[in-house]
Amino acid sequence: MKFTKTILLFTTILMMVSLSQAQNSVVSNAIQIYHDGDYEKAYELAGDALVNMDALSGDYIPAAFYYLAKSRLQILRIALQEGDEERLATMQNALMECYYDYTEALKTADDKLSIDIQRDLADLYNPILQTGLAALNAAKNTGQPQNVRRSAVEASLAYLHAAKDINPTYLACDLDGQALMIYGDSSAAYNSFDESIAAYLLHSPTPPDFLMAYVYFRKAVIERYFYKNNNKSLVTLMEGQNLLNTEHARYGAALLNSEQKKTYENAMIDLIGFELDIYLNDKSLIDDALVRFREVMNIYPEDYDIHISYANLLENVDVN
């Protein structure tokens, strides 16, 4: 009886080893076929190998995920080049599927494969970011039905989270925050805007991106309306104005083109306008409001709206 159990155990082990070798060989074949240029077959084999992933051993698991993603991208590339609408219809989520496959491969990849995966993910960053931006713009389109906009914002979150994970640039973090704001998660959006500011300050581009001011603007919106903290919002708006001035000085006014100058001026006006609106509507800040309004009127002496707002402010003050 003991001898029979030993035979059964030995047989089971042999079967498991045989199955593992068979599955590993499927991955090896997928890799070879990929390099031979038959991407459809490589995609099929890599997928088949992962159906029974538990039977794969060692480096074959990350390799299967890696070549599944690479072959899918090649199929997508060819379909786009040839205008193959039928094939493209089956690959609407190809970019995100590749992102997920690459991230799965990273979990157990060795150093060499990890470098290759990171390189491929870097190549995916821009198309994933642009797809997320397109979905975000659709979510902002008030002419679309509510259910369409909701689906669009959910799609944008998936793509923009992925882009941010691949490379947390100031742009990826900002767009992610915008999507989260529309989705209704102000706390997470606030964190993304903070990350965007940190990323910009760490690697400020040349020429400067004056649209960065609106990250501060959006952060201040959350501080004012979600956290109910006008003082914090005012600090953020001033930080945004300081950034604009610092970047303007860093690059030099003479080097700015007309579009950059206009973006700088509009962004500054928007930040100051939001700041003054807070002062105008918070009676506890009246003394600071009077000082700040006078400062701004010296900067923009011909701005009619600022003068009208100042007049409204004075109505709440005993000038005598």
Side-chain angles (χ1 to χ4, degrees):
M1 185 67 176
K2 184 176 180 180
F3 177 74
T4 303
K5 288 183 178 179
T6 302
I7 292 295
L8 287 172
L9 178 60
F10 183 68
T11 303
T12 302
I13 292 172
L14 283 176
M15 290 176 64
M16 290 174 65
V17 170
S18 178
L19 178 60
S20 178
Q21 290 175 339
Q23 287 298 100
N24 291 346
S25 68
V26 173
V27 177
S28 297
N29 289 337
I31 295 171
Q32 181 60 53
I33 290 171
Y34 173 87
H35 289 290
D36 288 342
D38 189 346
Y39 305 122
E40 289 280 2
K41 186 62 177 176
Y43 180 64
E44 178 186 341
L45 288 174
D48 288 345
L50 288 167
V51 169
N52 197 5
M53 188 172 64
D54 290 342
L56 294 173
S57 60
D59 293 338
Y60 287 96
I61 295 174
F65 278 113
Y66 178 66
Y67 279 94
L68 182 67
K70 286 186 74 69
S71 56
R72 184 190 293 109
L73 281 175
Q74 290 292 349
I75 294 167
L76 177 62
R77 177 184 61 80
I78 292 170
L80 287 168
Q81 287 178 346
E82 297 179 351
D84 187 343
E85 296 296 335
E86 183 177 352
R87 192 68 178 100
L88 288 172
T90 68
M91 305 197 77
Q92 294 181 1
N93 299 316
L95 292 176
M96 286 302 297
E97 289 171 354
C98 288
Y99 163 74
Y100 291 131
D101 288 337
Y102 279 133
T103 53
E104 280 298 318
L106 266 179
K107 292 177 181 178
T108 54
D110 60 22
D111 291 344
K112 182 179 182 304
L113 183 58
S114 292
I115 292 171
D116 292 339
I117 294 169
Q118 294 288 7
R119 182 196 61 230
D120 287 2
L121 280 171
D123 291 339
L124 273 183
Y125 168 78
N126 195 57
I128 284 180
L129 183 75
Q130 293 302 319
T131 304
L133 176 58
L136 178 61
N137 288 334
K140 292 179 178 179
N141 186 351
T142 55
Q144 292 291 339
Q146 189 60 38
N147 64 316
V148 173
R149 295 178 65 194
R150 188 66 177 180
S151 295
V153 74
E154 289 172 355
S156 73
L157 282 171
Y159 281 95
L160 294 171
H161 283 347
K164 180 182 168 186
D165 180 56
I166 294 170
N167 189 5
T169 63
Y170 74 88
L171 180 57
C173 294
D174 174 37
L175 294 177
D176 184 62
Q178 291 185 50
L180 286 164
M181 278 188 80
I182 296 174
Y183 188 71
D185 193 342
S186 295
S187 179
Y190 188 79
N191 291 336
S192 282
F193 293 142
D194 256 347
E195 291 169 344
S196 176
I197 291 169
Y200 188 93
L201 295 176
L202 184 63
H203 300 291
S204 299
T206 300
D209 185 353
F210 293 125
L211 290 175
M212 188 64 198
Y214 292 98
V215 180
Y216 288 88
F217 189 99
R218 286 184 277 273
K219 182 184 174 186
V221 167
I222 294 174
E223 288 166 339
R224 182 182 185 185
Y225 296 108
F226 182 71
Y227 291 119
K228 309 296 183 184
N229 191 330
N230 281 342
N231 286 315
K232 198 168 186 178
S233 184
L234 289 170
V235 169
T236 296
L237 291 167
M238 186 55 67
E239 287 174 351
Q241 293 168 51
N242 291 338
L243 177 82
L244 282 176
N245 287 328
T246 299
E247 289 295 85
H248 189 274
R250 176 174 70 88
Y251 192 61
L255 297 176
L256 297 175
N257 60 39
S258 58
E259 183 179 351
Q260 290 168 328
K261 290 177 182 177
K262 189 168 186 59
T263 301
Y264 165 79
E265 292 165 0
N266 289 343
M268 185 65 79
I269 282 289
D270 287 339
L271 290 176
I272 291 174
F274 189 10
E275 177 192 9
L276 296 183
D277 185 68
I278 293 174
Y279 278 125
L280 189 62
N281 290 282
D282 190 337
K283 294 180 180 180
S284 71
L285 299 172
I286 191 67
D287 292 336
D288 292 336
L290 290 169
V291 173
R292 183 56 177 154
F293 262 92
R294 289 166 187 153
E295 290 175 350
V296 172
M297 285 191 296
N298 286 331
I299 300 171
Y300 302 102
E302 297 181 1
D303 192 303
Y304 176 78
D305 291 333
I306 293 175
H307 283 273
I308 291 296
S309 295
Y310 182 61
N312 290 334
L313 179 66
L314 290 177
E315 290 180 0
N316 298 320
V317 180
D318 183 4
V319 294
N320 297 319

